[in-house]
Amino acid sequence: MQRARPWLWYTLLLSLGSLTIFGTVAADPSGSVVADNDDTSLFIWWLGHGAQVLADLLGFGSGHAGGLLYTDAMNTLGGGVNGAWNTSLAGIALLLAPLTWVAGPIISYNLLVLATPVLVSLATAVLYRRFLDRLPAFLAAGGVGFSSYVIAQLGGHPNLAFAVTPPLTAWAILALLGLGRSREARSGGTRSADRLPGTDTNPEADSAPASAHRRPRGHSTIRSQRVRRIGIVFGLVLGFQFYVSTEVLAGTFLAALSFLVVLALFARHALTARSWAALGLGSVIAGLIAAACALPLLITMAGPNAPDGAIRPHGVWNTDLLDPILPAAPAWLSTGVSPLSRIMDIDPAELGAYVGVPALLAALVILIGLSRRSRYRRVLRIAAATGILVFVLALGSPILLGGRVFLESGPFSLVESVPVLNNILPMRLVLHSTIALFAILGVGCEWALRNRKRVRARILIGLLALAAVCVVPGPQIARDVTVPDFYTESIAEVVPSGAVVKTFPRPLAWAEPHADEAMVWQAVSGFRYKETGGYFIGSSPDSAVTYTAPEDSLDELLHASVFDGDPIPDPQSTEAAAAIAELRSSGVDYIVLAPDAPLLPGGEGAYVQFLDEAVGQPEYADQGVRVYRL
């Protein structure tokens, strides 16, 4: 308990920090979210869906949520959705299911947002404790958990912000290789001094003869047991990551490869054949366990409605060389938008590369001042080289400088040629270079704290404090989630369980607030009905990659006029009658219109007038909706 106490205090401080940044959403967790896009509706839907699937399995659900990884609860007429290709958060959804049952999916989503910086900080602190004292490790890890990357991605992409696997992967590699601090002794609670090569207190530690490190009998057996134990735990972590974000997992794979190359270069004298064998054995164990966990997802990925090609166009989501030094959301120094021009408009949630000039300057000072010292040289070289390698990949291809093409092709073009990995957006790799940067800052912090009476140490502490001030995120502003009362109060009295419903406004897959809130309405109703619309990644007979359910005849009739600025079509026309008849014949039971919903196209009352005449008077008209029986 004594050893856990600092971690408990650290968790409390991190939680207070998260509440400070996300205070506006914490004040109204059931009716607001933090995001400039509406991907929040997508994740609220999937959190509700996972909870409902578990409720169905336990016998108290609606029975209409479909399978965990493949469901026809949305895109019902189009054959459903392949959740293995979507950011379904299935693993987290199951963990949060009890809260979702009691409080609803919106609260579960916001709890995930509040908890993510805390969990990322804790996971990174576990890594940093391999080579840092507790206080600098905690400070540096907090910088990662509350970095621009994590806070920006929490503006709609919790699957990408929930980045506990990358630091734990680095920790597992170091632990399997036998590098860094060992575990606390089971009796006595003291730390051994086998830190990363080049970080020992004794300057001659790296060059000590083998006889000085002679192990007692039975050590090989103990080490083998530890390797197996690490491999099992690491495999479970990777297996869980498959059900959170396969893109983060793929990015971690690239970063791990970079890390291993750097270790082979800068720690080769400390690594023996036994070390590499331990890493190989642990990796095989972890890989087998992860593959077993991921087997249902991998099988589903090969199923129907999978995208046929790269999900996003290449060359768009590239990190600009100036992104690390120009403030963008969510930094408090930012105006809220990126000052750089882009090939196309990019969601602010993707702009997470900013770390600030003071942080980069501090890292440079630390590298120059400490990299020649035996105690720190290797950990600094390893962190710097790994960070640079991953950041070069994060630049994408082409490489941009100030919004213009600096180099026509970058190393990331090799990644884009590899199936599956070609779906990684390079901007999202800055997470790993951020972890490397704060490792360097943590080393500098440790040296400065140990030598705080020196003038140089005090100057460095001041520079690190300035870096923290510049990179700290500002309070994030929440916006309302519009949910008609009908979906939480009266839907069971009007819509039979399992009915097929077409909702207006339909999910539009736009990067705008409220664009897909019809998905939230279905989620908060407990998936009482199936929805013809949907926002998801999939395919159709007409398109290799789709992001929304295909338009039916009624959508085409209304949108063709409304979005072109023309008046609403004649509800008594043969085209309108044919569109309604097609919906009936395809199995749609109800049309539900929310006439006051944001982003409903057409003038005020236009949809009400059209549906009242084309379908007939609604069966129910109250609590923010009009329900038309087909």
Side-chain angles (χ1 to χ4, degrees):
M1 183 62 186
Q2 184 176 358
R3 286 178 291 182
R5 187 176 293 115
W7 290 86
L8 295 174
W9 280 110
Y10 183 50
T11 302
L12 176 61
L13 291 174
L14 293 171
S15 300
L16 292 175
S18 184
L19 287 170
T20 300
I21 292 173
F22 296 105
T24 54
V25 76
D28 183 20
S30 63
S32 64
V33 292
V34 172
D36 288 326
N37 56 46
D38 201 30
D39 288 347
T40 52
S41 293
L42 171 72
F43 290 106
I44 290 169
W45 192 95
W46 283 109
L47 288 174
H49 172 261
Q52 198 61 42
V53 169
L54 183 58
D56 291 346
L57 290 175
L58 296 177
F60 62 88
S62 66
H64 305 296
L68 182 64
L69 296 176
Y70 200 100
T71 177
D72 64 349
M74 65 171 157
N75 191 33
T76 301
L77 303 182
V81 176
N82 189 325
W85 280 98
N86 285 263
T87 49
S88 62
L89 288 176
I92 294 176
L94 294 179
L95 291 178
L96 292 178
L99 176 64
T100 305
W101 296 334
V102 174
I106 301 176
I107 286 183
S108 289
Y109 174 86
N110 284 323
L111 176 64
L112 175 60
V113 169
L114 288 165
T116 293
V118 179
L119 296 175
V120 174
S121 297
L122 290 171
T124 308
V126 171
L127 167 62
Y128 288 171
R129 283 293 282 142
R130 296 292 302 182
F131 52 88
L132 290 176
D133 293 338
R134 183 187 294 134
L135 180 57
F138 282 179
L139 292 173
V144 175
F146 290 86
S147 64
S148 293
Y149 171 86
V150 172
I151 304 303
Q153 292 290 359
L154 284 174
H157 305 153
N159 62 316
L160 300 172
F162 190 86
V164 300
T165 298
L168 293 180
T169 297
W171 177 90
I173 291 173
L174 293 176
L176 289 169
L177 288 173
L179 299 177
R181 295 178 185 266
S182 68
R183 285 188 171 189
E184 294 192 54
R186 292 185 180 275
S187 58
T190 58
R191 287 264 185 194
S192 69
D194 61 334
R195 305 180 78 179
L196 273 176
T199 63
D200 294 297
T201 303
N202 179 5
E204 305 300 325
D206 291 343
S207 57
S211 59
H213 300 285
R214 196 181 303 277
R215 303 294 187 181
R217 290 184 179 182
H219 174 76
S220 296
T221 301
I222 295 173
R223 180 170 175 78
S224 296
Q225 292 174 348
R226 185 165 181 263
V227 166
R228 288 194 293 270
R229 192 160 54 244
I230 293 172
I232 292 171
V233 174
F234 184 36
L236 293 174
V237 170
L238 295 179
F240 181 75
Q241 182 62 53
F242 271 100
Y243 297 92
V244 178
S245 171
T246 51
E247 184 175 358
V248 169
L249 186 62
T252 302
F253 171 73
L254 292 179
L257 287 180
S258 301
F259 188 41
L260 288 171
V261 169
V262 171
L263 285 172
L265 290 174
F266 292 105
R268 61 185 182 276
H269 297 303
L271 296 174
T272 64
R274 180 178 294 179
S275 300
W276 290 110
L279 176 63
L281 175 60
S283 299
V284 169
I285 294 172
L288 291 174
I289 292 175
C293 294
L295 190 60
L297 182 139
L298 297 175
I299 292 174
T300 306
M301 289 182 78
N305 280 14
D308 185 17
I311 294 174
R312 300 292 184 187
H314 294 159
V316 176
W317 284 267
N318 294 359
T319 302
D320 194 289
L321 281 165
L322 297 183
D323 275 333
I325 64 174
L326 295 179
W332 71 272
L333 291 174
S334 170
T335 60
V337 296
S338 172
L340 297 172
S341 60
R342 305 285 174 178
I343 294 174
M344 60 178 285
D345 289 339
I346 293 179
D347 186 345
E350 302 288 3
L351 303 178
Y354 173 71
V355 291
V357 172
L360 294 174
L361 179 60
L364 182 61
V365 169
I366 293 166
L367 288 170
I368 294 173
L370 300 180
S371 62
R372 294 183 180 181
R373 296 172 181 264
S374 172
R375 183 173 191 172
Y376 298 109
R377 68 177 186 273
R378 284 183 181 160
V379 67
L380 288 174
R381 292 172 184 177
I382 290 168
T386 303
I388 291 171
L389 278 178
V390 179
F391 183 73
V392 168
L393 292 177
L395 295 174
S397 182
I399 294 177
L400 305 176
L401 175 62
R404 298 182 179 181
V405 174
F406 179 66
L407 292 175
E408 291 291 343
S409 181
F412 193 78
S413 60
L414 299 176
V415 178
E416 292 174 338
S417 65
V418 179
V420 180
L421 294 182
N422 63 357
N423 286 311
I424 297 175
L425 300 188
M427 272 185 160
R428 297 169 179 178
L429 293 175
V430 296
L431 162 69
H432 309 281
S433 58
T434 299
I435 293 173
L437 172 65
F438 277 92
I440 296 171
L441 299 180
V443 169
C445 181
E446 178 175 296
W447 177 86
L449 290 175
R450 288 188 172 193
N451 299 273
R452 54 185 174 273
K453 292 184 179 180
R454 298 185 184 182
V455 174
R456 287 183 297 172
R458 293 178 180 178
I459 293 174
L460 180 55
I461 289 175
L463 184 56
L464 291 172
L466 178 61
V469 169
C470 290
V471 77
V472 67
Q476 304 300 291
I477 305 302
R479 63 168 174 82
D480 292 339
V481 178
T482 304
V483 180
D485 293 339
F486 168 76
Y487 288 96
T488 56
E489 297 180 10
S490 304
I491 188 171
E493 303 168 9
V494 181
V495 177
S497 181
V500 177
V501 173
K502 176 178 178 56
T503 305
F504 284 117
R506 62 190 292 267
L508 298 171
W510 290 353
E512 294 185 24
H514 310 292
D516 304 292
E517 282 182 338
M519 300 179 70
V520 178
W521 306 343
Q522 186 185 15
V524 300
S525 77
F527 289 82
R528 182 174 182 81
Y529 60 92
K530 296 184 177 183
E531 172 64 61
T532 63
Y535 168 29
F536 57 90
I537 297 169
S539 62
S540 71
D542 301 323
S543 179
V545 181
T546 60
Y547 306 102
T548 187
E551 291 187 336
D552 54 47
S553 297
L554 185 57
D555 292 324
E556 294 174 356
L557 179 65
L558 291 172
H559 291 183
S561 61
V562 170
F563 287 126
D564 290 339
D566 297 332
I568 206 82
D570 181 5
Q572 300 298 327
S573 66
T574 56
E575 292 84 357
I580 299 299
E582 182 180 305
L583 288 177
R584 287 194 177 101
S585 64
S586 63
V588 178
D589 300 304
Y590 292 90
I591 292 176
V592 177
L593 168 67
D596 299 322
L599 298 187
L600 181 68
E604 183 177 356
Y607 268 59
V608 171
Q609 179 182 352
F610 178 87
L611 292 175
D612 282 357
E613 295 186 31
V615 182
Q617 289 299 308
E619 184 176 281
Y620 179 89
D622 196 8
Q623 295 185 310
V625 301
R626 298 172 73 84
V627 181
Y628 301 86
R629 181 194 289 269
L630 293 182

